[in-house]
Amino acid sequence: MQRFAQLSRRICQRTGETIQTPSYIRRFGSAPDASSELDEQPTSQEIVAKCLCGAASLSLPAGTMPGQMSVCHCSMCRRASGAPYVAFVGLPRALVQVPGLSTYAASAVATRGFCGKCGSFMYMDYGEPSTIWWTLGIFQNVPPAWWQEMYGDTQNCQIFRESAASWKQFVSELPHYDHWGKLRVDACNPESKKMWMEDEALLALAGAGEPESGSK
């Protein structure tokens, strides 16, 4: 755990004018701690993220560890994403560079980055020297090791509990099905009884050109 704390602190630490990239992107280069089940997970897979249309993408070396994970329940993140809350991962600014994104400053403290083509919410930038916060939903694979409650002396957390949507708990209580589940075609039409899963033409259109399962 002491080794973990030392490496985690380096993630967002400046040394003069340069960030010591090699020291923090290979946490798993040394022998894993046998007491941690997460350390036993495979870490050879490159970490990839991309927007909906694929025009904006980023890739991280296997073994990259963030400075912190957070889940934001503020009303601005809710409106920016259309989701009840947004999960973020704090990554070294010097490690991740994605040019050509559109930005919007909703407040004096933060700027949000979006794909200029499809509008995907990509990141939150607080202007911190070493850290930029990427939305977790754009990542195709999230390493199991990221889901630890603590990174050394830094706690992963949810924030703005007082601003959380009053209805968010009801979302998790809805029945959860595979694929299109019980989604009805033209649900506001009382005459419509057909389900998406019964309409082969719609299913073919929804899956056309989509490389990822579950996409629409």
Side-chain angles (χ1 to χ4, degrees):
M1 182 60 72
Q2 183 178 4
R3 174 177 61 85
F4 195 169
Q6 291 171 346
L7 288 173
S8 298
R9 281 194 290 270
R10 290 181 190 172
I11 291 175
C12 295
Q13 180 180 17
R14 260 197 164 351
T15 304
E17 292 300 316
T18 59
I19 295 178
Q20 297 176 335
T21 304
S23 64
Y24 59 66
I25 65 175
R26 296 290 183 181
R27 176 199 161 199
F28 295 96
S30 54
D33 182 357
S35 64
S36 172
E37 293 183 3
L38 290 174
D39 275 338
E40 297 173 4
Q41 298 290 337
T43 59
S44 59
Q45 188 176 11
E46 186 179 42
I47 305 167
V48 177
K50 66 176 182 178
C51 66
L52 178 60
C53 70
S57 63
L58 60 98
S59 61
L60 305 172
T64 299
M65 288 296 292
Q68 192 176 22
M69 301 261 282
S70 72
V71 179
C72 185
H73 291 265
C74 82
S75 60
M76 286 190 288
C77 279
R78 192 158 60 244
R79 289 195 291 269
S81 66
Y85 45 80
V86 181
F88 292 95
V89 54
L91 292 170
R93 185 181 294 272
L95 184 62
V96 185
Q97 301 291 332
V98 181
L101 296 180
S102 299
T103 59
Y104 176 72
S107 69
V109 73
T111 299
R112 289 170 172 81
F114 304 84
C115 172
K117 184 177 180 181
C118 66
S120 294
F121 182 16
M122 301 289 288
Y123 69 79
M124 177 88 76
D125 188 355
Y126 293 108
E128 297 166 318
S130 303
T131 309
I132 191 164
W133 296 82
W134 292 87
T135 55
L136 199 63
I138 65 173
F139 284 82
Q140 292 181 239
N141 56 311
V142 177
W146 286 14
W147 294 110
Q148 303 190 63
E149 183 178 353
M150 300 289 293
Y151 293 160
D153 55 2
T154 299
Q155 182 175 15
N156 293 327
C157 59
Q158 300 189 58
I159 58 177
F160 288 103
R161 181 173 60 179
E162 72 282 2
S163 299
S166 60
W167 44 267
K168 71 179 179 67
Q169 69 272 19
F170 300 116
V171 175
S172 61
E173 294 173 2
L174 292 173
H176 199 175
Y177 301 99
D178 291 335
H179 304 295
W180 295 91
K182 301 293 185 180
L183 192 68
R184 204 173 84 209
V185 176
D186 195 13
C188 292
N189 178 1
E191 302 298 323
S192 175
K193 304 301 180 183
K194 182 178 288 188
M195 298 293 180
W196 268 79
M197 289 299 293
E198 300 170 345
D199 195 315
E200 294 184 4
L202 280 178
L203 292 177
L205 285 173
E210 293 289 351
E212 299 177 47
S213 62
S215 300
K216 64 180 185 294

